[in-house]
Amino acid sequence: MERRFQGIGELERTGYIPAGSADERNAMSVKQRLLVCLTELCTELAQASTRAQQFGLKDARPGPDATNSQDMARVITELVAVIDLCREHGIAIQPGDAKAIYDAK
């Protein structure tokens, strides 16, 4: 089953965030849900990377037509989207400057 992350609306539809107006949502609840989503995507990325390491980038697991490489690309795309949502909701998860990113490489 291929998932396509569509932002807060997607989180509402999947049950990560209770549906309703912004006033009805608890802001902390949204942050907690985004962190859960972030954790799950990081876990998915680790699993996809492990499959690629064990079976190769072009191999596909039974079921979906996507290769391990395509699975990793999909999860990374979703992860970047969640990181952006985290920033929008006041969760600072990116280094503050380009030097810190460069040094981490």
Side-chain angles (χ1 to χ4, degrees), residues 8 22 40 95:
I8 294 295
E40 289 177 353

Side-chain angles (χ1 to χ4, degrees), residues 45-62 68-69 72:
L45 182 57
Q47 290 172 345
S49 177
T50 300
R51 281 194 311 273
Q53 186 179 26
Q54 290 177 327
F55 305 111
L57 290 168
K58 294 184 179 182
D59 192 53
R61 58 192 162 112
N68 291 327
S69 178
M72 287 192 310

Side-chain angles (χ1 to χ4, degrees), residues 83 87 91-105:
I83 289 169
R87 277 192 224 118
I91 302 170
I93 56 175
Q94 180 176 347
D97 60 25
K99 183 180 181 319
I101 295 170
Y102 178 79
D103 290 345
K105 291 181 181 181

Side-chain angles (χ1 to χ4, degrees), residues 33-45 79 82:
R33 303 298 186 186
L34 284 170
L35 291 172
V36 166
C37 194
L38 185 68
T39 302
E40 289 177 353
L41 288 170
C42 287
T43 301
E44 277 188 55
L45 182 57
L79 185 57
V82 170

